[in-house]
Amino acid sequence: MARSAILNVMVSAAIKAGRSLTKDFAEVENLQVSRKGPADFVSKADLRAEQIVFDELKKARPTYAFLMEEGGEVTGTDGQHRWIIDPLDGTTNFLHSIPLFAVAIALERANEIVASVIYNPVLDELYTAEKGGGTWVNDRRRLRIGGRRHLADAVVCTGIKTQGTANDSLQLRQLAAINPAVAGIRRSGSISMDLAWLAAGRYDAVWEAGLAPWDVAPGLLMVKEAGGTISDFAGSPGSVWNGQVVAGNEALHAALLKQLRRIQ
């Protein structure tokens, strides 16, 4: 694929941050046996990665605003563009030496996501998408969402919260109801990777709630550009702001949404 100038900027920032995370990831396993543990080290790795992404994007487009998981909001003078950044999506995986995490970046233009990058540096998988340009992996293969039509044949992915939130009991009911209806349920620990793998056809559908804008924004565009359907639990078009995702091809999205609407 031929990348646009803006996508080149995003890819460069993600790869540079990914190199930093890869170096830190190599140290995490050694820290698992220490008395203090790796948590503080991982927090610093997260912040370093975010700073790298911020510096690279700020240098390339100094007038754009930012919304970042760690650094919060930074206003811009452009008025139309904003970067939405999760420098380490899958922090708990990283903390436990599980190689399922990603640097995730989206560009919002006039309240619409128009470009995104999700990069897993350990697996060396670079997912990119631009509005109207499709979703690609490693610049070589254009992705299309899977073609399975029935939940009974589908492997679906979700997130399971562990913070004792109000959504916990609802999610357990969702799991109990959906599990017998599908071929299998997976939980990877990185919503960005979940949505990228959905676009790649590895998963057939995804649902999750309690998400932040930086969790949703990069994968939202990738699913759409791979031919998928994405919405909230009410069936409204996917948004980075409502904290909910139901996604799949048209048939599985409708079937999974129907299941979720029955669960109160």
Side-chain angles (χ1 to χ4, degrees), residues 149-198:
R149 310 291 293 175
H150 304 289
L151 281 179
D153 301 321
V155 170
V156 302
C157 186
T158 191
I160 302 169
K161 303 301 180 187
T162 57
Q163 301 96 327
T165 67
N167 286 329
D168 285 358
S169 61
L170 173 60
Q171 190 161 45
L172 289 174
R173 293 195 296 276
Q174 290 173 344
L175 287 166
I178 292 170
N179 187 58
V182 299
I185 294 178
R186 301 291 183 265
R187 199 277 198 216
S188 79
S190 168
I191 184 61
S192 294
M193 290 301 301
D194 294 345
L195 294 174
W197 283 10
L198 173 64

Side-chain angles (χ1 to χ4, degrees), residues 2-79:
R3 293 197 214 125
S4 69
I6 198 69
L7 197 57
N8 274 328
V9 167
M10 297 169 71
V11 167
S12 177
I15 289 176
K16 190 169 183 179
R19 289 195 191 108
S20 176
L21 289 175
T22 300
K23 291 176 184 177
D24 291 331
F25 187 70
E27 297 297 322
V28 169
E29 191 169 7
N30 296 328
L31 293 169
Q32 297 287 355
V33 296
S34 72
R35 188 171 56 144
K36 185 176 181 181
D40 183 59
F41 177 85
V42 171
S43 295
K44 291 177 181 176
D46 193 349
L47 291 169
R48 275 193 297 271
E50 184 172 273
Q51 190 64 51
I52 289 168
V53 174
F54 177 83
D55 290 344
E56 290 292 303
L57 298 180
K58 185 70 172 177
K59 180 172 62 177
R61 297 292 189 274
T63 64
Y64 288 13
F66 288 80
L67 177 62
M68 300 174 286
E69 181 182 21
E70 303 300 334
E73 293 192 62
V74 176
T75 58
T77 58
D78 174 87

Side-chain angles (χ1 to χ4, degrees), residues 145-149 204-205 223 226-230 246-257:
I145 203 157
R148 293 183 179 88
R149 310 291 293 175
D204 297 301
V223 171
T229 302
I230 186 166
V246 185
N249 64 35
E250 187 176 0
L252 289 181
H253 171 267
L256 185 55
L257 194 59

